Amino acid sequence: MPRRILVIVNPAAGRAARSAARLRRIVAELERLGCAVVIRRTGAPAEAERLAREAEAAFDLIVAAGGDGTVNEVVNGLAGSARPMAVLPLGTGNVLANVVGLPRRPEALARVIAAAPPQPIWPARIGDRLFVAMAGIGFDAEVVAALDHRLKRRVGKLAFALAILSCLRRYRRIELRVEVDGRAYRAASAIIVKGRCYAGRFVIAPEARLADPVLHVVLFHRAGRLVALSGIGAMILGLLPRLPGVSIIAARTVTVTADAADGEGRPLVPVQVDGEAGDPLPIAIEIGESPLFLVGAASLAPILPGTGLPAACLTQ
């Protein structure tokens, strides 16, 4: 039976004209395939979450059309629900779409949304919020905080490069206390991921699987501008897991604290969750209480022979 689909669109995601054209092509193809499609656009923060939570029971599938922040909102709107979701990537990073290996061609993506079976994936929980891609503490969160969103809509990923340069110029050393399943570590920065890819299609945790109820904790033990630059370069080349001073640990629970604070005792270490500013330290992260159901997640399996890495992260 053709699906009845609610598409929740963030009009600010990606570059407006290009995103709007892509959306039209995919919706037209979905309708050609027999699906009934309703589009609802967001106009304010957290509106995608509300639209997903309040979606009528008649919809078989909720589609998050936007970037990682839009996906995060829809994930939280569907928390505790068995109703499946899908992703129509329109953003700059599109981490979940890259982890899953969604096709880029509109016709192929529409076929996935229209007919692929939903598969369970395990989200992570940070405070009272779920996430499905990553949470970062330290340097990468500073980059997210420094990002000019208006510039990002005009020039795309170049805005991230400019934010990185800005953060390198005013780099400051911090020390995190990271407790992973009860074992304590020290780190200059940390990224907790649910899938293999980070910052788009770059592999950061080769063993991570969305379908597993496991966190992967990437710890950067060394500090400094050169260390940060080498980490960025290693990530681009797919060599980050081999970089000295980097540990990747599978876990069920993670807590992160830091000594840095301002004159009123507020933590100075930024946190980002799925590419958006998160609650300040201290934070606790664990696996969510129940799985979500994602259309297209069956494509997580393909691995490039001899690499142990997903083709989607390396070749798209």
Side-chain angles (χ1 to χ4, degrees), residues 3-28:
R3 283 175 169 157
R4 295 160 295 179
I5 300 172
L6 172 62
V7 181
I8 299 174
V9 181
N10 177 3
R15 302 185 191 183
R18 184 182 302 176
S19 295
R22 179 172 172 79
L23 175 66
R24 286 194 298 269
R25 288 184 63 185
I26 293 171
V27 169

Side-chain angles (χ1 to χ4, degrees), residues 209-234:
R209 302 288 186 273
L210 286 173
D212 295 340
V214 177
L215 305 166
H216 280 73
V217 184
V218 184
L219 299 178
F220 299 82
H221 299 286
R222 300 174 181 175
R225 292 184 178 89
L226 289 178
V227 172
L229 275 172
S230 66
I232 294 168

Side-chain angles (χ1 to χ4, degrees), residues 74-210:
V74 171
V75 162
N76 280 279
L78 294 176
S81 168
R83 179 149 46 181
M85 67 172 288
V87 176
L88 197 168
L90 299 176
T92 304
N94 301 314
V95 172
L96 183 62
N98 281 292
V99 169
V100 172
L102 292 178
R104 290 189 172 191
R105 289 193 308 109
E107 295 78 11
L109 178 56
R111 288 195 295 272
V112 169
I113 294 172
Q119 300 288 333
I121 65 169
W122 283 91
R125 178 175 292 281
I126 179 168
D128 60 354
R129 304 283 299 173
L130 299 179
F131 69 89
V132 290
M134 72 283 181
I137 305 99
F139 183 77
D140 86 313
E142 290 185 345
V143 171
V144 168
L147 187 64
D148 184 328
H149 289 274
R150 287 179 297 180
L151 183 64
K152 186 179 77 166
R153 286 193 288 273
R154 293 202 306 271
V155 301
K157 292 182 180 179
L158 178 59
F160 284 95
L162 296 175
I164 289 170
L165 291 174
S166 173
C167 291
L168 286 171
R169 187 171 59 251
R170 50 188 174 83
Y171 183 90
R172 62 193 179 91
R173 293 172 180 264
I174 61 172
E175 186 171 2
L176 302 176
R177 298 188 301 275
V178 185
E179 191 170 292
V180 182
D181 287 345
R183 183 174 179 180
Y185 299 86
R186 294 279 177 171
S189 188
I191 302 173
I192 295 90
V193 297
K194 272 298 296 149
R196 303 179 184 100
C197 299
Y198 170 83
R201 67 194 69 165
F202 301 115
V203 173
I204 190 172
E207 302 302 319
R209 302 288 186 273
L210 286 173

Side-chain angles (χ1 to χ4, degrees), residues 233-315:
M235 181 181 68
I236 292 171
L237 295 172
L239 301 175
L240 186 66
R242 305 180 196 174
L243 194 69
V246 174
S247 300
I248 303 176
I249 308 163
R252 296 278 300 188
T253 62
V254 183
T255 59
V256 185
T257 59
D259 294 328
D262 64 14
E264 297 180 4
R266 293 176 300 212
L268 293 175
V269 181
V271 177
Q272 64 91 3
V273 181
D274 283 349
E276 303 290 339
D279 291 336
L281 297 183
I283 58 170
I285 303 175
E286 60 186 357
I287 294 296
E289 294 86 354
S290 59
L292 298 166
F293 294 89
L294 180 66
V295 164
S299 61
L300 287 169
I303 300 293
L304 285 180
T307 69
L309 302 177
C313 291
L314 297 178
T315 62

